[in-house]
Amino acid sequence: MATKIRLQRGGRKGYAFYRIVIADARAPRDGRFTEKIGTYNPNTNPATVDLNFDRALYWVETGAQPTDTVRNILSKEGVYLMKHLRAGVRKGAFDDEAAQRKFDAWKEAKEKGFNAVRDQVAKAKKEIAAKELEAEKKINEAIAQKVAEKKAAQAAAQAEAEAEPAAEEAPAEA
């Protein structure tokens, strides 16, 4: 029996959500499966992957063939790196502890990269918000200045209008 590691679609229309499953190669996409090893949500940024790492590694080592998308997911999660490191252990290139140290170093470097990108995006958002706030303040100041000029012009016009009748009444009394 040829086994595949594939995505099984779920979710509602326009909002796909996938299960990562082990299935017979002849089974339909959303049909029977042998085992569920994780989930994949492409709607979040970055895409969210919840994977049972040990079971995924087991199935990859036993020869299950992943689809292209699943292969990319497993590669990004480090399953293929661990398979490679375990092959090195079997060949005697290094021991289990060295393989685990290499994997942990890779995982830590990957996390640092994600955190750096996340911090950079947050910083960019703050800068954009600050620029927008500054621009809004300038616009509000300009509007306030125009309103003040308009009120001053109205007050001057009203004072002038009041001064004319008072000026006309003053010579009439004399």
Side-chain angles (χ1 to χ4, degrees), residues 4-38:
K4 297 281 264 181
I5 305 175
R6 66 167 60 152
L7 296 176
Q8 185 180 48
R9 194 180 195 288
R12 65 179 189 266
K13 182 178 179 181
Y15 192 86
F17 184 84
Y18 298 94
R19 291 177 208 83
I20 303 171
V21 297
I22 309 300
D24 184 358
R26 297 167 294 183
R29 179 191 72 179
D30 297 336
R32 286 180 33 185
F33 60 92
T34 307
E35 181 180 353
K36 175 185 167 193
I37 61 171

Side-chain angles (χ1 to χ4, degrees), residues 81-82 85 97 99-109:
L81 176 63
M82 185 55 90
L85 292 172
E97 293 175 10
Q100 190 61 42
R101 278 194 307 264
K102 287 183 180 184
F103 182 76
D104 291 340
W106 174 82
K107 194 93 166 171
E108 188 175 315

